[in-house]
Amino acid sequence: MVFCQSSTLLVLLLLPLWILLAPALAHAQESPYFVAYDHYLEEPGSLEIEYFSTVGTQRAGNNFHAFSTEFEYGAAAWWTTEFYLEGQTTFHDSTVFTGWRWENRLRPLKREHFINPILYLEYENKSGADKILKEVEGHDVESDFLSPNAAARKEHDHEIELKLILSSTVKGWNFTENTIAAKNLSNNPWEFVYVLGASRPLSLKASASRCNFCREHFIAGVEMYGGLGDRHNFGLHDTSHYLAPVIAWNLPSDWTLRFSPGFGLNDDSHRLLFRWGVSREFSGFGEMVSRLFGGRR
Amino acid sequence: MKHCLATLAAPLLAFGTSSARLQSSDSPSSKSVNNRTALYGELANAPGKARERRNPFENDPEAVAAGRNLFEQHCAQCHAEVQEAPPGAIFWILTNGVVRRGMPVWSKLPEPQRWQLVSYIKSLSVPVANESLPLQRECGVTAQSSLLR
């Protein structure tokens, strides 16, 4: 078991290095959001691998660095599936593997509309030491993160999460609104979350020459998210909220780098959640796996 | 232990695929030909109003150059050949995709960039050797080693 945990952490640590060294195969155009989702799915047959981190401050406790590796696959033009492995380091405490999650996004409508809905379904298998803060559920507040890792990891959560993503793109601006309902399967009430996001490329026209620093490769925006309580106590009481500027740099060589400093908006929030991520997209992944198993064109 | 092995296997599998190069296609299967026909047939479904839209970058050589870069980045891996159609219809299909046939919506590219793509696609009126574009994958549409039109 010790070997298993060590191997998992080794994979999490080596993946960014591999991403740096891997050959180029495809081109990405990723959104800058960390928490919000827009209505754009992964291209069919493409695999995107991302490493991202959340560094959080903790009052009355130790700051932390949570990290995640994401495998996102375009199963079809209307279906994207993602698998995450997550861990965290709490400073002056320890580093632990905190669990995994599997999510699916489905596009029900064939064509583009003013508002585009996406249906989202996720299953999480994680420990109580999870600190990635991919969303802030129900009454999650900063003081929930004070427990030492040794105690927190004993708690096991099996959770499902349903999301309705409503996203529009108007004159280069993307506006998205995500409504989330999450249920811990161990007899806890449904918890609710909101996420809002807006973003725009710095230039709407592409340059005639190839360049890394052209403005069209940068997408800037802002996202806001927080808890809405639970089924028994719906509302903003005892909830935490964040406002986070976001920026993505989509390099023509298929890299995407993203940064976001998130600021807590009330006393129940972490003061600062600094997030960054690096991702790489590989097209033709599905076809290659198919060929490995004797598939034909 | 099974969980542990699965955890290790996923990235290793991904590593293996990233190290390999995809090869261009040999001959298209009937399924992919049908899919291509259906996909390009969707151009005929563009509404009249959309077909009549004018390209704001018409006769702009910089738009053609920018469109070429965009095409190579986002389109060439699936579309080694393109279909002749009115600019408005091409813009409409870029915006809406053909989701059930494997082509995603491309409205994440801002409208000016989609028109730049249209400019480039419309500029392909003379045959160009297929070596000019990388043929890397199919995406449900045959990456045929034919001429661009």
Side-chain angles (χ1 to χ4, degrees):
Chain A
M1 185 57 95
V2 171
F3 165 73
C4 179
Q5 287 170 357
S6 304
S7 305
T8 305
L9 286 173
L10 186 65
V11 167
L12 287 172
L13 291 171
L14 288 179
L15 267 171
L17 180 66
W18 159 61
I19 291 171
L20 283 167
L21 297 175
L25 280 179
H27 298 272
Q29 177 79 13
E30 303 302 322
S31 88
Y33 304 126
F34 281 91
V35 179
Y37 284 88
D38 58 27
H39 66 288
Y40 298 114
L41 305 184
E42 187 62 51
E43 281 94 51
S46 292
L47 176 73
E48 181 187 310
I49 301 178
E50 176 167 26
Y51 171 85
F52 74 85
S53 287
T54 302
V55 178
T57 61
Q58 179 76 50
R59 280 168 288 191
N62 297 317
N63 297 341
F64 57 87
H65 171 210
F67 40 88
S68 171
T69 299
E70 169 193 349
F71 302 87
E72 178 178 320
Y73 180 67
W78 51 269
W79 174 26
T80 291
T81 184
E82 295 176 59
F83 180 71
Y84 296 79
L85 296 167
E86 295 171 349
Q88 59 99 333
T89 297
T90 300
F91 302 136
H92 309 296
D93 189 340
S94 61
T95 296
V96 291
F97 174 67
T98 55
W100 56 272
R101 62 177 81 201
W102 178 43
E103 68 179 45
N104 291 278
R105 282 178 284 151
L106 305 168
R107 181 189 174 93
L109 301 182
K110 281 202 302 188
R111 292 188 181 146
E112 190 77 350
H113 298 269
F114 181 66
I115 296 176
N116 301 280
I118 297 288
L119 306 175
Y120 172 110
L121 174 64
E122 177 184 282
Y123 171 74
E124 295 179 11
N125 183 340
K126 62 184 184 180
S127 77
D130 175 39
K131 294 184 178 180
I132 197 71
L133 282 156
K134 214 168 167 295
E135 59 275 313
V136 181
E137 294 170 2
H139 292 288
D140 286 354
V141 293
E142 184 184 25
S143 56
D144 295 340
F145 294 78
L146 284 171
S147 304
N149 282 346
R153 67 185 302 189
K154 288 178 183 168
E155 177 192 330
H156 249 88
D157 294 328
H158 298 271
E159 193 172 296
I160 55 166
E161 193 175 293
L162 308 174
K163 210 176 273 194
L164 176 62
I165 299 164
L166 300 173
S167 169
S168 290
T169 297
V170 182
K171 296 189 183 301
W173 281 94
N174 173 258
F175 301 97
T176 187
E177 190 275 331
N178 305 171
T179 305
I180 304 169
K183 175 90 170 78
N184 188 323
L185 298 178
S186 59
N187 204 28
N188 283 9
W190 283 93
E191 296 178 299
F192 302 103
V193 186
Y194 73 90
V195 183
L196 304 168
S199 66
R200 182 187 187 276
L202 299 190
S203 172
L204 299 184
K205 277 175 66 178
S207 306
S209 58
R210 295 172 189 275
C211 50
N212 286 331
F213 294 97
C214 297
R215 290 193 304 156
E216 69 266 21
H217 296 317
F218 293 89
I219 305 176
V222 65
E223 59 186 3
M224 182 177 172
Y225 50 93
L228 290 172
D230 59 38
R231 188 171 69 87
H232 304 305
N233 191 5
F234 185 82
L236 300 177
H237 185 64
D238 285 338
T239 57
S240 56
H241 305 269
Y242 297 88
L243 184 68
V246 291
I247 188 159
W249 181 18
N250 286 306
L251 284 112
S253 57
D254 310 336
W255 288 91
T256 298
L257 297 170
R258 299 187 294 160
F259 300 94
S260 171
F263 303 99
L265 296 179
N266 63 7
D267 289 339
D268 287 323
S269 312
H270 297 273
R271 280 184 177 158
L272 176 67
L273 295 177
F274 180 77
R275 300 181 197 262
W276 72 277
V278 54
S279 66
R280 191 66 184 278
E281 188 173 307
F282 304 93
S283 65
F285 176 82
E287 186 188 349
M288 179 162 284
V289 171
S290 168
R291 277 196 216 162
L292 280 176
F293 294 97
R296 290 173 63 91
R297 283 169 183 270
Chain B
M1 185 52 103
K2 279 182 183 173
H3 175 72
C4 175
L5 289 174
T7 302
L8 288 170
L12 288 174
L13 184 62
F15 178 82
T17 57
S18 75
S19 303
R21 287 284 174 183
L22 296 177
Q23 297 169 355
S24 60
S25 63
D26 313 323
S27 60
S29 68
S30 59
K31 187 182 172 189
S32 61
V33 169
N34 290 340
N35 203 27
R36 187 176 77 238
T37 305
L39 189 139
Y40 290 133
E42 190 72 11
L43 282 163
N45 294 333
K49 199 175 168 184
R51 299 172 77 86
E52 288 163 12
R53 289 186 70 180
R54 298 283 303 273
N55 184 350
F57 298 114
E58 212 168 24
N59 302 322
D60 179 350
E62 285 209 349
V64 174
R68 182 187 170 96
N69 289 339
L70 290 167
F71 190 90
E72 289 179 4
Q73 282 182 23
H74 303 296
C75 315
Q77 288 159 8
C78 296
H79 300 276
E81 60 178 22
V82 293
Q83 187 83 17
E84 182 60 37
I90 299 172
F91 181 84
W92 180 83
I93 210 164
L94 285 172
T95 303
N96 289 285
V98 190
V99 173
R100 296 293 182 264
R101 296 282 178 180
M103 179 175 165
V105 299
W106 281 99
S107 63
K108 65 177 162 184
L109 293 179
E111 188 169 320
Q113 291 187 25
R114 276 175 273 150
W115 281 119
Q116 288 174 316
L117 268 171
V118 172
S119 293
Y120 173 66
I121 292 167
K122 292 300 291 179
S123 76
L124 300 173
S125 54
V126 290
V128 179
N130 65 321
E131 288 80 11
S132 64
L133 290 173
L135 303 178
Q136 293 192 338
R137 66 164 181 160
E138 285 193 348
C139 319
V141 184
T142 305
Q144 210 173 18
S145 53
S146 63
L147 301 181
L148 290 164
R149 293 196 295 128

